[in-house]
């Protein structure tokens, strides 16, 4: 469905961030991409969706293919038309637009307004809370509601593949569970394929079929979610460390050690 | 007599204010969608006025003049975005500001050179007439009424476009976050071009309206100077703000001219709006309707 083959990404012509990344995402599956801060996860997603260029980044080697079609080098708004949607890290709703206007903007590529209305209803079906907030300025929604809106907005173009960038960021565990549950339902009911970037490895490996671990611009570990759950390194550094506050600092301290181990 | 004088000043201020709002709208459209600050808005208006005056004089058809001015300004704005501003995308905002200031000087120098520096009239079609129209105790110039009418029409049209149409929503999405808008399948550059084209339309209308009121020469560009108090007051990115700001500046200007000029010998019209602007900046730097950065997680 979606594949990256030995992809290299350079920012500003000199900063090499991805150093030959290969990832395959199978049709109808959830694949998760794990890794520490600055590993290059978001960059990977941006390389797929094509928004990299607006940050002066470029795929300099390798290929990104969607359904056998090369999409690296394409403009982001054209990639969207091929059935790919990205949910950005930090939600990035259009703050000054209402909830419903955000959804209308998400359905931009679909000319028939009746279909857009139908999809809005579909989104409200999955996220009833958005319906209650439909005429509110989205900048004032709660973090959880904004995340729901960001996912709903991505659904508006009726994509086949969705890239999800840290949907759990800054949300209470209960809410994260709820949102992940809905994502799983979406994959089943709407025939979606998901590439999920996460820091919360426990949850990610719970709903994913397959996983990759990224370090410093390279894939260092790959396997089925079940296999990764049992992996000693993952266990040590991700699982069981779920308090949001302590996680980051702990990880930073251990960063060097872990990297060495995965590379050896 | 006193209240009639005040009423006259107020009504005049409202009519003039609507026409300021029309020009300010061009500025707001561009700023809202592309973040560019167009310091040549007044020169756009002047250019449109000159083109309209030349065509009306040559063809004796007012409407042909309007159509040519519209077409010329849309084309001009469109090309401007393509050739001059697009390469500046992603550069510091100062680069764009300097570019438009340079453009303003260029237009002020070039157009009189090509078309002559004399003041030209834009004569309105005959059916509009020149007899002042009495509205109760107030006498109004037909030119002003037409100008205000056109302004209301287009202000309403553009408001609808922005608030209700799908393209308007997409344009606001672009204004909010270009990268995310792009990922929604919105061709951001096309919307930039559209915003400039709309600024061109508004400038053309402003040029005809103001030109037929004041006559057309280089000084018509000075109308653009009033845009800044208007948009600072109303909010740089708000259409409603442009209307309210325009009305306030129009009224303030007229009241100042009516009540203070007799004591100081004239000229208050030109700086009163700026006094209001400075006060507005101190109290509400983002304007009455400008968007505040939303502060939350
Ligand atoms: N626009 C850019 N220009 C230059 N360098 C960049 C740019 N964006 C990201 N980088 C660099 O690329 C590296 C990877 O960043 P990226 O955002 O992909 O990491 P990430 O894995 O998503 O991290 P996090 O978990 O913190 O979101 C970082 O070192 C970052 O500084
Ligand atoms: Mg990231």
């Amino acid at each position: 469905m979606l594949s990256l083959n030995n992809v290299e990404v350079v920012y500003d012509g000199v900063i090499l961030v991805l150093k030959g990344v290969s990832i395959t995402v199978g049709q109808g599956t959830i694949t998760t991409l794990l890794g520490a801060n600055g590993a290059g996860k978001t960059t990977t997603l941006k390389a797929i969706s094509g928004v990299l260029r607006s940050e002066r980044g470029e795929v300099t080697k390798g290929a990104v293919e969607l359904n056998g079609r090369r999409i690296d080098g394409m403009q982001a708004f054209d990639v969207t038309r091929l059935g790919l949607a990205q949910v950005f890290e930090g939600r990035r709703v259009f703050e000054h637009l209402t909830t419903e206007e955000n959804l209308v903007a998400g359905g931009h590529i679909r000319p028939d307004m009746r279909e857009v209305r139908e999809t809005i209803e579909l989104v409200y079906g999955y996220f009833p809370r958005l319906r209650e907030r439909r005429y509110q300025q989205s900048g004032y929604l709660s973090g959880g509601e904004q995340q729901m809106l960001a996912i709903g907005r991505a659904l508006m173009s009726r994509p086949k593949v969705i890239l999800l960038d840290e949907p759990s960021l800054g949300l209470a565990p209960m809410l994260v569970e709820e949102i992940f549950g809905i994502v799983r339902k979406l994959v089943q009911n709407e025939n979606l394929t998901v590439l999920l970037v996460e820091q919360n490895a426990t949850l990610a490996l719970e709903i994913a079929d397959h996983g990759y671990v990224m370090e410093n611009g390279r894939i260092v570990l790959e396997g089925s979610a079940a296999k990764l759950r049992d992996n000693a390194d993952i266990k040590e550094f991700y699982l069981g460390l779920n308090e949001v506050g302590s996680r980051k600092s702990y990880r930073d301290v251990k960063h060097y050690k872990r990297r060495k181990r995965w590379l050896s | 007599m006193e209240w009639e004088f005040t009423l006259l000043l107020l009504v005049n201020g409202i009519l003039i204010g609507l026409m300021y709002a029309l020009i300010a709208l061009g500025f707001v459209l561009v700023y809202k969608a592309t973040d560019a600050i167009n310091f040549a808005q007044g020169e756009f208006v002047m250019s449109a006025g000159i083109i309209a005056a030349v065509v009306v004089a040559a063809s004796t058809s007012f409407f042909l003049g309007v159509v040519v001015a519209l077409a010329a300004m849309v084309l001009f704005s469109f090309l401007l975005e393509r050739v001059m501003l697009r390469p500046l995308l992603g550069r510091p905002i100062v680069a764009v500001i300097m570019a438009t200031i340079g453009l303003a000087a260029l237009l002020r120098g070039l157009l009189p050179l090509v078309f002559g520096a004399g003041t030209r009239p834009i004569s309105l079609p005959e059916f509009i007439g020149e007899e002042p129209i009495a509205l109760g105790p107030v006498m109004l110039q037909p030119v002003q009424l037409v100008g205000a009418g056109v302004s209301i029409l287009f202000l309403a049209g553009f408001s609808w476009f922005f608030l209700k149409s799908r393209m308007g929503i997409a344009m606001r999405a672009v204004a909010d976050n270009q990268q995310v808008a792009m990922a929604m399948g919105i061709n951001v550059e096309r919307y930039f071009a559209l915003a400039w084209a709309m600024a061109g339309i508004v400038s053309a209308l402003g040029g005809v309206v103001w030109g037929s009121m004041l006559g057309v020469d280089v000084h018509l560009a000075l109308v653009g100077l009033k845009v800044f108090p208007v948009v600072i007051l109303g909010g740089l990115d708000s259409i409603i703000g442009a209307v309210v700001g325009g009305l306030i500046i129009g009224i303030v200007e007229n009241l100042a001219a009516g009540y203070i000029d007799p004591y100081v010998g004239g000229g208050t019209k030109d700086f009163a709006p700026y006094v209001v602007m400075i006060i507005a900046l101190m109290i509400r730097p983002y304007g009455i309707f400008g968007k505040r950065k939303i502060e939350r997680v």
Side-chain angles (χ1 to χ4, degrees):
Chain A
M1 186 86 210
L2 174 69
S3 69
L4 285 81
N5 195 351
N6 213 15
V7 169
E8 210 176 85
V9 166
V10 174
Y11 281 114
D12 286 318
V14 285
I15 310 166
L16 179 64
V17 173
L18 295 192
K19 304 160 184 168
V21 170
S22 299
I23 291 176
T24 307
V25 181
Q27 154 79 41
T29 66
I30 300 180
T31 301
T32 182
L33 178 59
L34 306 170
N37 290 114
K41 306 181 296 295
T42 297
T43 301
T44 305
L45 296 191
K46 286 178 175 167
I48 298 169
S49 68
V51 297
L52 205 56
R53 201 174 320 184
S54 62
E55 294 183 9
R56 322 221 288 142
E58 203 189 344
V59 176
T60 47
K61 243 194 224 159
V64 183
E65 283 182 10
L66 180 65
N67 276 327
R69 187 158 167 190
R70 259 191 92 155
I71 57 169
D72 54 286
M74 276 175 70
Q75 294 271 15
F77 51 81
D78 288 329
V79 174
T80 308
R81 284 171 199 276
L82 293 180
L84 187 129
Q86 178 170 12
V87 177
F88 286 84
E89 182 174 355
R91 312 186 271 271
R92 311 268 289 273
V93 296
F94 298 122
E95 292 186 340
H96 298 96
L97 273 59
T98 65
T99 299
E100 196 148 301
E101 285 170 344
N102 265 273
L103 296 177
V104 172
H108 183 79
I109 60 168
R110 302 170 66 211
D112 187 345
M113 192 58 196
R114 263 210 333 267
E115 280 174 40
V116 172
R117 290 253 152 255
E118 276 168 30
T119 314
I120 289 178
E121 284 307 312
L122 180 93
V123 169
Y124 287 158
Y126 282 102
F127 301 105
R129 249 190 278 182
L130 293 183
R131 192 198 300 276
E132 292 164 30
R133 305 267 184 275
R134 65 202 291 182
Y135 301 124
Q136 258 173 45
Q137 199 180 332
S138 65
Y140 294 110
L141 298 180
S142 76
E145 289 159 354
Q146 286 189 350
Q147 188 62 59
M148 294 176 187
L149 178 56
I151 296 173
R153 183 178 61 181
L155 290 173
M156 288 302 300
S157 62
R158 290 267 130 161
K160 299 183 202 79
V161 180
I162 287 199
L163 312 176
L164 277 175
D165 201 345
E166 299 202 34
S168 72
L169 193 75
L171 302 186
M174 283 259 290
L175 206 57
V176 176
E177 296 257 7
E178 184 185 335
I179 289 177
F180 274 36
I182 294 171
V183 168
R184 201 190 333 228
K185 242 182 11 203
L186 280 168
V187 170
Q188 283 160 7
N189 303 349
E190 308 297 327
N191 193 25
L192 275 177
T193 301
V194 172
L195 177 55
L196 167 70
V197 160
E198 257 306 332
Q199 301 258 1
N200 189 334
T202 319
L203 266 173
L205 290 173
E206 233 168 67
I207 72 164
D209 304 292
H210 204 82
Y212 291 83
V213 178
M214 184 174 243
E215 267 300 327
N216 219 349
R218 289 194 177 87
I219 300 294
V220 290
L221 206 62
E222 185 212 331
S224 71
K227 209 174 95 196
L228 288 181
R229 272 196 295 267
D230 291 336
N231 181 287
D233 285 324
I234 300 247
K235 261 192 184 149
E236 183 181 351
F237 299 111
Y238 286 106
L239 306 185
L241 293 166
N242 275 335
E243 307 99 290
V244 176
S246 66
R247 212 173 58 199
K248 241 175 201 159
S249 55
Y250 176 84
R251 200 187 280 157
D252 287 344
V253 174
K254 292 280 188 172
H255 183 93
Y256 174 69
K257 186 178 158 201
R258 179 182 63 218
R259 199 180 120 213
K260 237 173 60 180
R261 222 189 260 184
W262 273 340
L263 289 178
S264 59
Chain B
M1 192 59 213
E2 183 57 25
W3 69 270
E4 285 172 6
F5 182 58
T6 309
L7 188 66
L8 177 68
L9 292 175
L10 276 178
V11 173
N12 254 311
I14 289 170
L15 296 180
I16 294 288
L18 284 168
M19 290 183 252
Y20 281 146
L22 183 63
I23 300 177
L25 183 64
F27 183 95
V28 168
L29 287 173
V30 163
Y31 180 74
K32 204 172 162 67
T34 73
D35 280 341
I37 293 178
N38 182 10
F39 274 89
Q41 184 66 42
E43 283 70 14
F44 278 33
V45 170
M46 174 201 76
S47 309
I50 292 179
I51 293 168
V54 168
V55 175
V56 171
S59 70
T60 70
S61 162
F62 174 77
F63 290 103
L64 188 66
V66 175
V67 170
V68 172
L70 274 170
M73 290 317 292
V74 168
L75 189 70
F76 174 72
S77 314
F78 198 75
L79 286 177
L80 181 74
E81 195 272 331
R82 264 277 138 108
V83 176
M84 194 173 94
L85 298 167
R86 198 169 290 182
L88 295 177
L89 271 186
R91 296 294 170 82
I93 192 78
V94 179
V96 178
I97 292 175
M98 289 303 159
T100 61
I101 288 178
L103 180 73
L106 186 74
L107 289 175
R108 268 201 313 270
L110 203 62
L111 271 109
L113 207 65
V114 175
F115 294 104
T119 305
R120 299 158 190 274
I122 299 179
S123 21
L124 291 175
E126 301 222 332
F127 68 85
I128 291 174
E130 288 182 2
E131 284 296 301
I133 294 162
L135 194 84
V138 183
M139 300 295 272
L140 296 170
Q141 298 299 320
V143 175
Q144 286 193 355
L145 284 175
V146 171
V150 169
S151 303
I152 290 176
L153 207 67
F154 276 83
L155 288 166
F158 278 108
S159 303
W160 176 86
F161 172 83
F162 255 94
L163 296 177
K164 295 284 173 226
S165 78
R166 280 183 80 181
M167 278 171 101
I169 291 174
M171 196 176 259
R172 273 152 60 214
V174 169
D176 235 44
N177 193 323
Q178 291 171 18
Q179 189 180 59
V180 178
M182 216 181 288
M184 304 287 112
I186 297 171
N187 185 337
V188 171
E189 289 181 345
R190 197 174 289 165
Y191 275 85
F192 284 3
L194 181 65
W196 278 98
M198 292 190 336
I201 293 177
V202 172
S203 308
L205 294 169
V208 173
V209 165
W210 281 95
S212 41
M213 207 157 58
L214 305 175
V216 179
D217 58 26
V218 171
H219 300 297
L220 193 54
L222 295 179
V223 175
L225 285 183
K226 296 286 166 61
V227 164
F228 297 103
V230 170
V231 296
I232 297 276
L233 195 63
L236 283 173
D237 51 17
S238 164
I239 294 181
I240 315 291
V243 178
V244 174
L247 289 174
I248 293 176
I249 295 297
I251 291 171
V252 163
E253 182 182 283
N254 267 272
L255 289 179
Y259 286 114
I260 306 177
D261 268 4
Y263 301 106
V264 297
T268 43
K269 215 177 187 140
D270 296 324
F271 76 83
Y274 281 88
V275 174
V276 176
M277 178 179 98
I278 291 168
I279 295 171
L281 275 175
M282 292 190 300
I283 303 171
R284 258 181 107 87
Y286 38 81
I288 302 174
F289 296 99
K291 47 185 182 198
R292 252 170 294 188
K293 206 154 167 33
I294 295 176
E295 303 281 0
R296 61 171 292 116
V297 246

